[in-house]
Amino acid sequence: MGDQRAVARALLTRHTYAEEAGISLADRPAPLYQLLVLVTLLSTRIRAQVAVAAARELFAAGYRTAAAMEAASWQQRVDALGRGHYRRYDERTATMLGTGARLCLDRWHGDLRRLRRQADGDQDQLRRLLVEFPGIGPTGADIFLREVQTVWPELRPYADRRAVAGAKRLGLPAATDRLAGLVDEGEFGRLASALVRVALGEESAGQITRSVAAG
């Protein structure tokens, strides 16, 4: 257990995907919408780092709220995605972002806290509501719930299949409750995000365990 705790603590030094995209995640409309944008980008078959770079470009262009994203032209969204090297899917994704922003405004008044209130702590209901956004399927819903648990504590501990796969590679518990026991409650979202990096091969499980063993 001691070694497992040490590995988990080492993983907590990594940035979450939201942090890498420049999102200061909080239970407020703008950062929650920005997370939704990031999740939309991560949901295509493209490298996570490209999706993060594209999100940063969209936010740098000022598209940080549903209203701003919807007001941007399709070409402006395409151009921002291109600056982040988000190729092949840029035109389709630009359309989905505009449609998703309109849905967010029409149904949730641009505030995903309303979506949270409607779900009332039910994870399955949250998933059903999230997959109604264009471009977000079950995997995208998992990404959103994994990242947002940092500010929506009723979801904790939430580990999707990729986080569990990363835990297995590191010799950590696959059971979510046991995995959560390795860190403080509020740190679990960061741990889950780091485990996904291991599952995707962005971080080497062997290097992490060796560095921990070396002290």
Side-chain angles (χ1 to χ4, degrees):
M1 178 63 77
D3 288 345
Q4 291 181 341
R5 287 187 185 278
V7 169
R9 297 299 304 177
L11 292 172
L12 294 179
T13 64
R14 276 62 172 177
H15 290 300
T16 66
Y17 286 109
E19 288 171 342
E20 280 202 5
I23 302 170
S24 298
L25 198 56
D27 189 29
R28 298 195 306 272
L32 290 173
Y33 174 71
Q34 290 160 25
L35 178 61
L36 185 74
V37 169
L38 175 60
V39 168
T40 303
L41 300 177
L42 286 167
S43 294
T44 58
R45 293 184 178 181
I46 203 160
R47 289 189 301 111
Q49 294 310 307
V50 174
V52 166
R56 293 183 70 93
E57 289 294 340
L58 287 164
F59 303 150
Y63 315 143
R64 300 184 187 92
T65 65
M69 184 69 78
E70 201 270 341
S73 71
W74 175 83
Q75 188 61 55
Q76 286 173 321
R77 293 192 292 269
V78 168
D79 290 345
L81 291 168
R83 290 192 295 273
H85 304 289
Y86 199 89
R87 311 288 192 222
R88 293 177 55 199
Y89 303 101
D90 53 349
E91 296 186 354
R92 181 167 64 93
T93 302
T95 299
M96 291 191 301
L97 289 171
T99 305
R102 185 72 261 165
L103 173 62
C104 188
L105 290 166
D106 288 345
R107 186 163 184 186
W108 309 112
H109 303 280
D111 186 352
L112 293 177
R113 293 176 301 182
R114 294 171 180 262
L115 179 149
R116 178 191 186 187
R117 285 195 290 271
Q118 180 169 326
D120 194 26
D122 186 325
Q123 290 186 10
D124 290 336
Q125 177 65 359
L126 274 173
R127 282 195 193 88
R128 284 192 289 269
L129 294 172
L130 287 166
V131 299
E132 292 181 12
F133 285 96
I136 296 182
T139 298
D142 276 340
I143 298 170
F144 187 93
L145 297 178
R146 187 183 71 229
E147 295 275 330
V148 85
Q149 68 181 306
T150 303
V151 295
W152 289 0
E154 70 274 15
L155 297 177
R156 296 198 294 257
Y158 187 89
D160 61 355
R161 60 182 179 80
R162 284 180 174 170
V164 171
K168 289 179 178 178
R169 285 193 182 187
L170 287 163
L172 299 180
T176 301
D177 56 344
R178 291 185 58 209
L179 191 59
L182 300 177
V183 296
D184 293 339
E185 181 190 357
E187 297 173 323
F188 190 78
R190 181 177 296 278
L191 174 62
S193 185
L195 289 171
V196 170
R197 294 182 185 280
V198 175
L200 295 178
E202 295 178 21
E203 295 261 10
S204 165
Q207 287 180 356
I208 292 170
T209 53
R210 284 193 295 272
S211 66
V212 170

